[in-house]
Amino acid sequence: MKLSFHGAAQGVTGSCFLLEAAGYRILIDCGLFQGSRELHEDNVAPFGFDPASLDCVVLTHAHLDHCGRLPLLVKRGFRGEIMATQATFELARLVLLDAAHLQEEEARRRTRVAQRRGREDSEAPLYSIVDALDAIARFDRAASYRQPMTIRPGVVATLFDAGHILGSASVLIEAEEGGFRRSILFSGDIGNGGRLLLKSPETPDQADSIVMETTYGDRLHRQFSASRGELYDAINRTFARGGNVLIPTFALERAQEILFFLRQGIEENRLSPSVPVFLDSPMAISATEIFERHRDSFTPAVAAMFESGKDPFKVPGLRLTRETADSVAINRITGGAVIMAGAGMCTGGRIRHHLRHNLWRPEASIVFVGYAAAGTLGRRIIDGAKEAQLFGEDIPVRAQIHTINGFSAHADQNELFAWQEKIAGKRAIFLVHGEVPAMQAFAARIAAPQVSIPQLGERVTIES
Ligand code: ZN
């Protein structure tokens, strides 16, 4: 077996790993590099392998940093099959079409900039909506958790519920090579156990090698119940001051989870039942519909709610705003509303308009409920920036900033440690999908015989 790293190596985005096993070339994930605009160059750069030479792709989950370069892969010659769980297929369709739309918009923006500088040529998007549709057309066999699937002769993939977002999986690949059976486990993103919506992560009993995420390899999350209390407090205090609460929201999972918490807060009399909540994200609205189709994916308590005819994501004052005009109308509300909008890291999307209208108001609050990568506007605000650049204006940051990391969809250091402890027989662990200090802290904690932090483009041979 040979393994090479083409993304999320000493960084958190762009997950993409090439496994060469039993004479086949299998790609695990094909994610977009995300963060500041400079990362466009990383996405444009060659993959580090010939897309046409691949036999198939297995996706761990539908987050953009795990599937967002698939249209580019197909555009550059990939003609094989893409496999994932059914829920991942459904969510990834949304994610890829949205990403292609944003890429087309971004190309038009770059063209306008070039024209202002006197250049005539138009800038091509990284990929178009047609490229995204071509990638979606390659979605083929849907995998079920714990059901081994022969992906190529002599190569079997088994997906385990990673408990990270709906449909998310850790992927175990087993291959026959020269009379030996070898196995390698790709963690995907590992969920934060004991959450209210999703089941806790599962693992296979055994794997020879592990490629493992380390997003929070150096941090511990706060207690989940304390985090819920923090959210309710932030909302009640902000309303008492007369401001709005902005929640930069990841469309998949976090948006639905926050709706669920708001509903609970109202049921427990910790929030007013008349609190107006705007879900201002067409993608989050569509993702919520997909969630409602996969009722068996949730914890027994949530499944029972569905069973009794209750929708766990319905809040009495919820308004879904798909249309741009409805989104713009929210800007007239100066206080007393909860506004959830994407993108979660404030790299684009409608949240930037809401930030422009609220970030300078001392009575407002911005509540971050997820990870914000280095270099993103979200991270700069969390780190205490005094000003934020939005639409060419410098907006002073006067709103209260809250970071509630107990809602994270990622395991913390203790959970990552426990996750890998459950897997017997491992001889090598490759740490990926983390910033270097997090990886080093985690490497120092685990006592596996061979732990490494591979670099982008590195290729290793796995002996057994
Ligand atoms: Zn993820």
Side-chain angles (χ1 to χ4, degrees):
M1 272 185 183
K2 289 196 167 55
L3 174 67
S4 49
F5 302 85
H6 303 282
Q10 304 189 0
V12 277
T13 64
S15 280
C16 187
F17 312 109
L18 173 60
L19 180 68
E20 297 163 67
Y24 296 101
R25 293 164 66 80
I26 301 151
L27 200 67
I28 310 296
D29 286 344
C30 193
L32 198 72
F33 292 103
Q34 289 176 282
S36 61
R37 287 224 163 96
E38 296 83 77
L39 291 178
H40 180 73
E41 300 308 318
D42 293 339
N43 288 313
V44 169
F47 281 102
F49 53 83
D50 176 9
S53 72
L54 300 176
D55 293 287
C56 58
V57 178
V58 185
L59 275 190
T60 62
H61 64 291
H63 273 150
L64 193 61
D65 62 324
H66 292 257
C67 72
R69 277 190 290 164
L70 281 176
L72 192 62
L73 193 78
V74 175
K75 186 179 170 182
R76 293 182 181 170
F78 172 68
R79 293 293 175 266
E81 177 187 17
I82 300 173
M83 286 164 274
T85 62
Q86 183 59 34
T88 294
F89 280 155
E90 291 176 24
L91 292 173
R93 280 184 205 134
L94 269 185
V95 168
L96 293 181
L97 286 174
D98 181 69
H101 173 73
L102 292 177
Q103 293 294 345
E104 289 187 352
E105 260 183 7
E106 170 66 12
R108 283 193 287 275
R109 187 195 66 82
R110 288 201 310 271
T111 301
R112 285 195 300 274
V113 171
Q115 282 169 348
R116 279 201 290 274
R117 290 177 184 158
R119 291 205 305 272
E120 282 299 303
D121 43 327
S122 65
E123 298 272 333
L126 185 65
Y127 51 79
S128 66
I129 287 171
V130 173
D131 296 321
L133 290 169
D134 285 345
I136 291 166
R138 310 227 138 254
F139 289 1
D140 199 335
R141 284 181 289 167
S144 301
Y145 292 134
R146 295 181 303 281
Q147 302 289 317
M149 187 163 87
T150 300
I151 55 171
R152 283 296 171 268
V155 185
V156 173
T158 312
L159 277 64
F160 294 84
D161 190 344
H164 168 62
I165 65 165
L166 180 68
S168 66
S170 298
V171 177
L172 179 72
I173 307 256
E174 295 167 282
E176 294 281 353
E177 271 188 338
F180 291 102
R181 193 165 182 78
R182 296 191 170 111
S183 60
I184 180 164
L185 177 65
F186 294 86
S187 72
D189 287 356
I190 302 166
N192 188 353
R195 281 148 88 208
L196 297 180
L197 285 187
L198 290 181
K199 296 172 186 163
S200 293
E202 318 179 303
T203 62
D205 298 330
Q206 194 276 336
D208 301 336
S209 312
I210 305 177
V211 177
M212 182 176 177
E213 72 115 329
T214 48
T215 315
Y216 285 113
D218 58 348
R219 265 180 276 178
L220 299 177
H221 296 324
R222 286 196 61 186
Q223 278 286 325
F224 178 74
S225 54
S227 296
R228 216 154 60 83
E230 263 181 83
L231 174 68
Y232 301 150
D233 276 356
I235 293 172
N236 289 328
R237 281 201 205 138
T238 310
F239 286 2
R241 292 195 304 268
N244 287 323
V245 176
L246 263 54
I247 309 182
T249 308
F250 296 84
L252 314 186
E253 200 71 29
R254 204 62 42 80
Q256 294 76 20
E257 218 162 19
I258 299 295
L259 289 177
F260 184 72
F261 297 148
L262 294 175
R263 185 197 158 100
Q264 275 192 316
I266 292 166
E267 275 179 359
E268 294 166 7
N269 290 322
R270 298 166 78 179
L271 291 175
S272 153
S274 59
V275 51
V277 178
F278 292 91
L279 182 57
D280 187 26
S281 161
M283 184 152 76
I285 296 167
S286 298
T288 308
E289 288 173 17
I290 293 174
F291 271 61
E292 286 163 348
R293 285 191 201 171
H294 292 271
R295 301 175 172 193
D296 53 345
S297 302
F298 300 104
T299 55
V302 174
M305 278 181 87
F306 273 124
E307 203 58 40
S308 64
K310 286 189 202 160
D311 185 335
F313 310 121
K314 257 237 157 59
V315 177
L318 179 63
R319 277 168 251 180
L320 306 176
T321 50
R322 274 191 196 270
E323 302 301 326
T324 310
D326 296 336
S327 173
V328 173
I330 301 172
N331 294 333
R332 290 199 292 271
I333 303 171
T334 55
V338 174
I339 304 165
M340 301 165 61
M345 302 191 201
C346 310
T347 47
R350 293 179 176 179
I351 192 68
R352 293 170 75 91
H353 293 275
H354 300 304
L355 286 170
R356 182 192 201 177
H357 289 272
N358 289 279
L359 202 51
W360 54 274
R361 296 176 190 271
E363 67 274 23
S365 288
I366 322 296
V367 180
F368 287 92
V369 291
Y371 190 79
T376 60
L377 176 60
R379 174 64 83 87
R380 285 199 293 281
I381 296 173
I382 289 169
D383 287 346
K386 294 274 176 283
E387 276 186 344
Q389 255 242 340
L390 288 154
F391 308 100
E393 269 179 74
D394 288 322
I395 311 282
V397 180
R398 296 202 198 104
Q400 296 276 318
I401 309 300
H402 300 262
T403 314
I404 304 182
N405 74 18
F407 294 149
S408 176
H410 284 274
D412 68 6
Q413 193 198 51
N414 285 342
E415 289 171 303
L416 289 172
F417 183 77
W419 183 89
Q420 57 83 40
E421 282 282 284
K422 286 190 284 181
I423 303 158
K426 53 193 179 284
R427 288 188 283 272
I429 301 185
F430 303 96
L431 302 183
V432 297
H433 200 290
E435 285 164 13
V436 173
M439 292 176 159
Q440 286 168 339
F442 191 66
R445 181 159 172 198
I446 50 177
Q450 243 189 314
V451 183
S452 59
I453 301 178
Q455 290 182 346
L456 193 67
E458 196 171 321
R459 185 166 182 254
V460 296
T461 301
I462 300 172
E463 314 278 1
S464 64

